[in-house]
């Protein structure tokens, strides 16, 4: 007998969860590197990899126990402040922060020219251009709008986090049911009756007599590969083309039979095509139809999670809401220096208003940027980690 048949004959049922190095159904496998997780390895990585779209793949964090210990460290505040200027979030809103700081600087200069200024020695000077009016707004205008702006930002951030959390649960549900499906397929293989006579903790069953161990291994391997093909196709379906397409095709061609791989790659909707192959693989298993129905319930859950993920990907928070929030926030912060000018009369030429405006802009624009980054969750979910 061949080495494969000997291996299959002695392999325990749990072996169906492990892909052998060489089987009639697949070639040697490769590990995906398409959905990279973690910070940039190269410290000289270009700025496009640290800010904006290029930085999203580095936000796919999977924690271990050691990571949680570090996360709870009492030094976390100092470490976070140390990396303040390396933050991708703050860098992403650098243009907006620069705009508000520029407005604050212009307000200071204008009012110094129009209303006089204080010299370095503390002496007061007359206006540079007499007759110009100083500019400013009452602080009450911004105080009245504070609560409205806060509600808009809170709602936007909460909804964005809710979308990320929903996507995470959908993906976790997928992983849970792939394990469940393979477990049931392995345990129930060859059980042709609705209720078998298997004893507790006993792997023997009268229903399994006469089953070819090689065919059993091939059938369960096919079930495992078809399950993997669906999840991998769904991962590709939810990922950017330029990031994952090449790796996706390479992995399918290395693991699946050539015809099956090409049909999935050429399909208009790849996850559905892979799910069809999984349905056929379940149908071919020698087991009672009641047990097959239990396996097929997992496929219905796969359809639900796929549909839910597609809904999240294709339906953002209503654009008019996001646009109004961005316009409101931008206008509020750009006009804020006009109201802050009078509040900093005790500082030299009101100059303390400039860094204060920058700090407020970092905080509020940062909140809006967080919501925007979370709204589309799939390019920051660590899907490769499971």
């Amino acid at each position: 007998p061949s080495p494969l048949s000997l291996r299959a004959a002695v392999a325990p049922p749990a072996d169906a969860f492990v892909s052998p190095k060489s089987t009639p159904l697949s070639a040697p496998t490769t590990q995906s590197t398409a959905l990279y997780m973690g910070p940039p390895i190269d410290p000289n990585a270009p700025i496009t990899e640290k800010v904006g779209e290029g930085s999203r793949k580095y936000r796919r964090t999977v924690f271990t126990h050691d990571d949680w210990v570090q996360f709870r460290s009492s030094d976390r505040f100092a470490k976070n402040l140390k990396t303040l200027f390396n933050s991708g979030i703050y860098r992403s809103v650098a243009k907006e922060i620069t705009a508000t700081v520029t407005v604050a600087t212009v307000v200071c200069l204008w009012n110094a020219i129009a209303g006089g200024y204080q010299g370095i020695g503390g002496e007061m000077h007359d206006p540079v251009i007499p007759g110009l009016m100083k500019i400013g707004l009452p602080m009450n205008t911004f105080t009245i709008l504070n609560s409205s702006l806060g509600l808009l930002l809170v709602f936007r951030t909460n909804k964005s986090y809710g979308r990320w959390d929903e996507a995470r649960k959908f993906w976790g549900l997928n992983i849970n049911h792939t394990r469940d499906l393979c477990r049931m397929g392995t345990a129930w293989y060859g059980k042709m009756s609705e209720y078998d006579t298997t004893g507790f903790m006993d792997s023997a069953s009268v229903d399994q007599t006469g089953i070819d161990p090689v065919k059993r291994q091939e059938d369960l391997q096919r079930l495992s590969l078809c399950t993997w093909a669906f999840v991998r196709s769904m991962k590709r379906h939810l990922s950017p083309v330029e990031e994952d397409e090449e790796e996706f095709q390479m992995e399918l061609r290395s693991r699946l039979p050539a015809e099956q791989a090409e049909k999935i790659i050429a399909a208009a909707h790849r996850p559905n095509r892979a799910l069809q192959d999984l349905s056929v693989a379940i149908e071919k298993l020698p087991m009672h139809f009641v047990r097959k129905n239990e396996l097929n319930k997992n496929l219905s859950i796969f359809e639900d999670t796929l549909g839910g993920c597609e809904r999240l990907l294709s339906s953002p928070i209503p654009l008019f809401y996001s646009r109004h929030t961005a316009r409101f926030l931008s206008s509020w912060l750009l006009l804020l220096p006009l109201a802050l000018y009078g509040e900093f009369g005790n500082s030299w030429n009101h100059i303390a208003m400039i860094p204060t405006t920058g700090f407020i802009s970092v905080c509020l624009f940062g909140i809006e940027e967080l919501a925007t980054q979370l709204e589309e969750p799939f390019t920051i979910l660590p899907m490769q980690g499971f």
Side-chain angles (χ1 to χ4, degrees):
S2 67
L4 176 62
S5 62
L6 288 174
R7 183 181 185 280
V10 299
D15 219 27
F17 292 99
V18 181
S19 299
K21 294 182 179 179
S22 177
T23 72
L25 296 175
S26 65
T29 61
T30 59
Q31 184 175 358
S32 170
T33 57
L35 297 176
Y36 178 75
M37 295 179 293
I41 298 175
D42 183 6
N44 299 319
I47 190 66
T48 54
E49 290 290 293
K50 300 177 181 179
V51 179
E53 289 300 311
S55 68
R56 289 181 67 80
K57 58 179 171 289
Y58 302 115
R59 304 187 187 280
R60 299 163 186 159
T61 307
V62 178
F63 264 32
T64 62
H65 176 72
D66 292 339
D67 294 316
W68 281 113
V69 172
Q70 185 177 2
F71 181 75
R72 294 190 294 263
S73 169
S74 58
D75 298 331
R76 62 187 183 275
F77 297 104
K79 290 179 180 178
N80 288 333
L81 287 174
K82 184 179 179 181
T83 58
L84 178 67
F85 296 102
N86 296 325
S87 169
I89 293 295
Y90 299 154
R91 289 187 178 189
S92 295
V93 295
K95 293 180 181 179
E96 291 79 1
I97 296 169
T98 301
T100 57
V101 170
T102 300
V103 171
T105 305
V106 169
V107 169
C108 280
L109 291 174
W110 178 278
N111 286 340
I113 293 172
Y117 61 95
Q118 185 179 13
I120 296 178
E123 69 281 3
M124 296 302 300
H125 295 270
D126 294 332
V128 177
I129 304 178
L132 285 181
M133 293 183 59
K134 295 175 66 174
I135 54 177
L137 288 172
M139 180 57 74
N140 288 343
T141 304
F142 296 86
T143 303
I144 292 171
L145 293 175
N146 277 345
S147 57
S148 299
L149 180 59
L151 287 174
L152 283 173
L153 289 175
V154 166
F155 179 82
R156 173 124 170 73
T157 306
N158 283 350
K159 293 301 292 183
S160 295
Y161 174 79
R163 289 167 60 86
W164 179 87
D165 189 50
E166 190 176 7
R168 179 180 62 88
K169 290 176 179 176
F170 278 143
W171 190 252
L173 195 62
N174 257 3
I175 300 305
N176 292 345
H177 283 276
T178 58
R179 296 167 179 167
D180 201 32
L181 191 152
C182 290
R183 174 188 61 80
M184 290 190 292
T186 302
W188 292 346
Y189 188 91
K191 307 292 181 67
M192 301 305 295
S193 63
E194 185 175 355
Y195 300 101
D196 59 80
T197 59
T198 303
F200 181 67
M201 297 296 289
D202 183 5
S203 59
S205 173
V206 295
D207 291 328
Q208 290 189 342
T209 56
I211 291 179
D212 182 1
V214 175
K215 184 179 185 305
R216 178 183 187 278
Q217 181 70 13
E218 291 181 358
D219 287 345
L220 292 179
Q221 178 68 5
R222 182 180 296 106
L223 178 68
S224 177
L225 284 173
C226 288
T227 304
W228 169 84
F230 165 72
V231 178
R232 187 63 184 87
S233 298
M234 182 173 170
K235 186 189 302 182
R236 165 62 199 90
H237 188 62
L238 300 172
S239 302
V241 174
E242 65 277 5
E243 182 179 329
D244 196 34
E245 179 65 23
E246 184 178 349
E247 292 288 339
F248 169 73
Q249 293 192 21
M250 182 185 69
E251 289 181 32
L252 256 63
R253 289 178 175 132
S254 68
R255 296 193 181 199
L256 300 178
E259 182 180 1
Q260 181 183 1
E262 295 304 325
K263 286 184 177 179
I264 293 177
I265 291 172
H269 196 287
R270 289 162 169 176
N272 273 346
R273 172 67 212 193
L275 204 58
Q276 170 65 20
D277 293 340
L278 181 54
S279 298
V280 173
I282 292 174
E283 188 60 29
K284 290 182 178 179
L285 294 177
M287 64 176 63
H288 193 272
F289 75 92
V290 173
R291 300 182 188 274
K292 288 184 181 180
N293 287 344
E294 291 300 314
L295 267 68
N296 278 305
K297 288 180 181 179
N298 290 292
L299 272 62
S300 298
I301 292 174
F302 291 158
E303 286 281 14
D304 290 341
T305 58
L306 174 60
C309 289
E310 288 178 328
R311 168 178 55 81
L312 292 174
L313 184 64
S314 61
S315 304
I317 294 174
L319 295 179
F320 53 82
Y321 184 94
S322 300
R323 289 169 180 166
H324 178 70
T325 303
R327 290 163 182 160
F328 189 172
L329 177 62
S330 300
S331 302
W332 194 90
L333 286 171
L334 287 169
L335 294 174
L336 183 62
L338 296 172
L340 289 178
Y341 181 82
E343 302 295 323
F344 287 89
N346 293 329
S347 66
W348 183 74
N349 288 318
H350 305 254
I351 200 170
M353 176 189 73
I354 297 176
T356 302
T357 300
F359 176 72
I360 296 173
S361 299
V362 166
C363 295
L364 295 183
F365 277 131
I367 293 174
E368 203 279 336
E369 178 67 15
L370 286 173
T372 301
Q373 292 292 328
L374 284 169
E375 188 174 354
E376 188 275 281
F378 300 105
T379 48
I380 58 174
L381 275 179
M383 294 188 289
Q384 185 187 5
F386 301 96

